[in-house]
Amino acid sequence: MIKAILIFNNHGKPRLSKFYEHYSEDTEQQIIRETFHLVSKRDENVCNFLEGGMLIGGSDYKLIYRHYATLYFVFCVDSSESELGILDLIQVFVETLDKCFENVCELDLIFHVDKVHNILAEMVMGGMVLETNMNEIIMQVDAQNKMEKSEIKTRHILSCIPQYKIQYHSHHSCHYYGDLTVPLFQCTSRIRDH
């Protein structure tokens, strides 16, 4: 099982941290610092696996990492996970990020953190690997993006109609016009009629 996924730059600044076990915020920060210290002091020509730090489980856990340009991608896993399988998962994650952001860089991880978390959620959930097929992951991410764009477009269209005061309630699939409740599909058909 995957215990944590960390991405940090060459200076130890975290760019993504996803923990699949509960830790206090202070402990998470200490884990990130300890992991950076363990991984960054290693030579480039040594293997990409090492024992986990004391805060994240010691010798019962492994840190498996890859260093790409200015970023370290680190997965902390228990002994049931295959080191080579996790290295392959890191490669799929990086290639997926590269396809989604067209030549991914550190700034993409900073400014599009929600999209990075969505990509990661398509691959790993609750510490378990869900998907390793990059094409399937990209297809799901593209479907999410289309849905978001559609929702934004619908909200924009409805907000441009001055005679309607629109209150959007995410727990309902309808909009409220004063005391009248109208399903969203009727709102959009009404707009087309005007």
Side-chain angles (χ1 to χ4, degrees):
M1 186 170 160
I2 298 170
K3 197 166 184 179
I5 298 173
L6 308 171
I7 302 174
F8 41 78
N9 69 10
N10 289 338
H11 304 291
K13 299 245 188 246
R15 298 305 181 207
L16 177 130
S17 61
K18 181 70 176 169
F19 290 87
Y20 295 102
E21 288 189 9
H22 178 71
Y23 295 102
S24 69
E25 191 173 328
D26 289 339
T27 305
E28 286 181 2
Q29 294 302 315
Q30 290 173 342
I31 289 170
I32 292 169
R33 281 192 296 273
E34 181 183 46
T35 304
F36 172 72
H37 179 70
L38 289 169
V39 169
S40 65
K41 69 179 184 179
R42 293 173 59 89
D43 289 331
E44 290 290 324
N45 58 353
V46 297
C47 77
N48 294 19
F49 331 127
L50 67 150
E51 284 186 359
M54 293 309 297
L55 292 171
I56 201 153
S59 61
D60 294 337
Y61 288 87
K62 298 173 275 194
L63 298 176
I64 301 171
Y65 71 96
R66 296 286 300 258
H67 186 205
Y68 295 96
T70 63
L71 296 171
Y72 288 93
F73 290 76
V74 183
F75 282 51
C76 177
V77 301
D78 64 16
S79 58
S80 68
E81 294 289 342
S82 162
E83 291 97 344
L84 295 176
I86 295 297
L87 277 176
D88 188 46
L89 185 64
I90 294 172
Q91 183 68 29
V92 169
F93 183 41
V94 171
E95 286 181 17
T96 304
L97 289 172
D98 200 48
K99 284 218 178 197
C100 289
F101 291 110
E102 299 174 11
N103 204 6
V104 69
C105 69
E106 187 174 346
L107 289 175
D108 292 320
L109 301 183
I110 295 168
F111 292 117
H112 303 286
V113 69
D114 54 336
K115 190 171 182 180
V116 175
H117 276 279
N118 287 341
I119 293 168
L120 187 59
E122 289 296 328
M123 299 177 69
V124 178
M125 186 171 287
M128 303 297 290
V129 178
L130 296 177
E131 185 64 64
T132 58
N133 182 334
M134 183 174 57
N135 294 329
E136 184 67 28
I137 296 164
I138 291 172
M139 187 174 72
Q140 294 301 323
V141 170
D142 287 345
Q144 284 178 342
N145 291 339
K146 285 179 186 173
M147 206 170 2
E148 286 176 14
K149 286 179 184 176
S150 173
E151 184 176 322
I152 290 169
K153 185 177 178 182
T154 302
R155 285 184 184 182
H156 175 72
I157 289 170
L158 292 174
S159 69
C160 292
I161 303 173
Q163 68 259 30
Y164 295 114
K165 182 178 178 188
I166 299 168
Q167 297 176 349
Y168 180 73
H169 296 276
S170 62
H171 61 283
H172 294 290
S173 62
C174 55
H175 290 270
Y176 296 93
Y177 301 98
D179 61 342
L180 178 66
T181 303
V182 181
L184 184 60
F185 69 89
Q186 288 180 356
C187 295
T188 54
S189 66
R190 182 183 293 164
I191 291 169
R192 279 190 233 115
D193 294 340
H194 285 28

